[in-house]
Amino acid sequence: MDDQTPSTELRGSAQADTGARGPRLREIPLRLIIPNLITVLAICAGLTGIRLAFENRYELAVAMVLAAAFLDGIDGRVARMMKATSKFGAQMDSLADIINFGVAPALVLYVFVLDQARSLGWIAALIYAIAAGLRLARFNVMDERETKAPWQSEFFVGVPAPAGAALVMLPIYLGFLGVAPVGIFAYASTAYTVVIGYLLVSRLPVWSGKSETSHVRRDLVFPMILGVVLYVALLMSFTWEVLVVSVLLYLCSLPFGARNWHRRYGTLTIGEEAAEKGLSEIDRGV
């Protein structure tokens, strides 16, 4: 008995030391951290864009907001590619979205031109930022459903928030091309901002380009790749001109998406009318 007493005391001492130190922290694989780092960088870029706008460095401000939108758009894809999706990352991404697609573009636009419209300009900026938040909330609710409608892989309900961020800054692109951000242009920009906010929360069917049934003919693959290369080259050389043309083309494409939806389901919007035509409850959207 006397020989066993010291070893018993040593075990008790070791257990006491372990209890004092507490449980060991669980190690997290690096691949789980990388998507979250991209999300954090996107938030930093969006907030930096706001700061640059207040410092009257508008071109850099717009570049940072667009960079934030790009980073925010790829973090989820990177997470899925690396099999590093998590609930924490999804919440982080949602918080980043409202900053990068809602708050940052609205404030940069306000500092550049909407402040010339005084209170009306600020109201327009608020409307857009809130519309972006509502649009993102609706998307999250629809994306979390276990059963998704077949059309959700092909159509968005309203203009997606990333596209809205690029669209709403059209007055800034025009300002860089020489249009003075004063007078009637400021009030026209205010009305335009409200329209883009409405398109975000509308039930307009917008073609997403993500449908698995969409295919490209083999003989058009290489020309399409060359077209993308040409677009990027033009974007690097004539940034603001290309962005203006891109925004106008996107806006012109919206009626074609609505027409395509109308041909399939007989309605112009995704809403209660769609349910009346025989679509299930899940097909209504939010």
Side-chain angles (χ1 to χ4, degrees):
M1 294 294 293
D2 293 338
D3 294 339
Q4 295 177 358
T5 301
S7 61
T8 302
E9 292 177 353
L10 288 174
R11 287 197 299 270
S13 176
Q15 292 174 357
D17 291 341
T18 303
R21 288 196 303 267
R24 293 184 60 185
L25 295 177
R26 183 169 62 92
E27 295 180 352
I28 300 176
L30 181 61
R31 64 182 176 83
L32 296 180
I33 301 176
I34 292 177
N36 293 325
L37 287 177
I38 296 175
T39 303
V40 171
L41 288 176
I43 296 175
C44 293
L47 295 177
T48 301
I50 297 173
R51 174 195 171 184
L52 292 172
F54 282 106
E55 294 177 353
N56 297 327
R57 301 159 66 184
Y58 296 114
E59 291 194 11
L60 282 176
V62 173
M64 293 302 291
V65 172
L66 294 177
F70 172 76
L71 292 172
D72 210 324
I74 67 172
D75 57 357
R77 290 175 174 83
V78 170
R80 288 188 290 271
M81 289 174 57
M82 301 181 69
K83 297 182 179 179
T85 57
S86 65
K87 292 183 178 180
F88 177 83
Q91 295 301 321
M92 279 287 295
D93 188 54
S94 296
L95 294 175
D97 287 346
I98 185 59
I99 294 174
N100 298 328
F101 302 143
V103 176
L107 289 180
V108 172
L109 183 63
Y110 176 78
V111 174
F112 183 80
V113 62
L114 296 185
D115 64 334
Q116 300 297 320
R118 303 189 181 279
S119 296
L120 290 178
W122 179 244
I123 291 172
L126 286 177
I127 289 175
Y128 171 80
I130 293 173
L134 294 174
R135 174 65 180 81
L136 291 165
R138 180 171 65 188
F139 174 82
N140 289 340
V141 170
M142 296 181 66
D143 192 56
E144 290 176 358
R145 287 170 168 169
E146 295 182 1
T147 305
K148 293 182 173 60
W151 56 262
Q152 284 185 246
S153 63
E154 191 170 355
F155 290 95
F156 291 120
V157 184
V159 171
L167 294 177
V168 79
M169 292 192 293
L170 175 62
I172 303 179
Y173 310 151
L174 294 174
F176 291 158
L177 294 178
V179 180
V182 293
I184 190 171
F185 180 73
Y187 288 98
S189 299
T190 299
Y192 173 79
T193 302
V194 174
V195 170
I196 298 300
Y198 170 75
L199 290 177
L200 290 176
V201 299
S202 71
R203 293 183 178 273
L204 182 70
V206 178
W207 185 61
S208 67
K210 299 188 299 182
S211 175
E212 297 180 357
T213 59
S214 299
H215 300 283
V216 179
R217 283 169 37 190
R218 185 180 296 272
D219 60 325
L220 296 179
V221 172
F222 287 140
M224 178 176 293
I225 294 175
L226 291 177
V228 172
V229 172
L230 176 62
Y231 177 83
V232 173
L234 290 173
L235 184 64
M236 296 296 101
S237 302
F238 307 98
T239 304
W240 311 121
E241 292 87 347
V242 172
L243 284 175
V244 169
V245 173
S246 300
V247 168
L248 295 178
L249 288 177
Y250 187 90
L251 291 174
C252 291
S253 71
L254 296 180
F256 293 99
R259 186 181 67 173
N260 191 5
W261 174 271
H262 179 71
R263 287 178 176 177
R264 296 188 187 187
Y265 303 110
T267 61
L268 291 176
T269 59
I270 304 175
E272 297 296 335
E273 299 86 354
E276 294 173 358
K277 295 294 182 179
L279 299 182
S280 64
E281 179 74 18
I282 190 68
D283 289 330
R284 299 185 186 182
V286 178

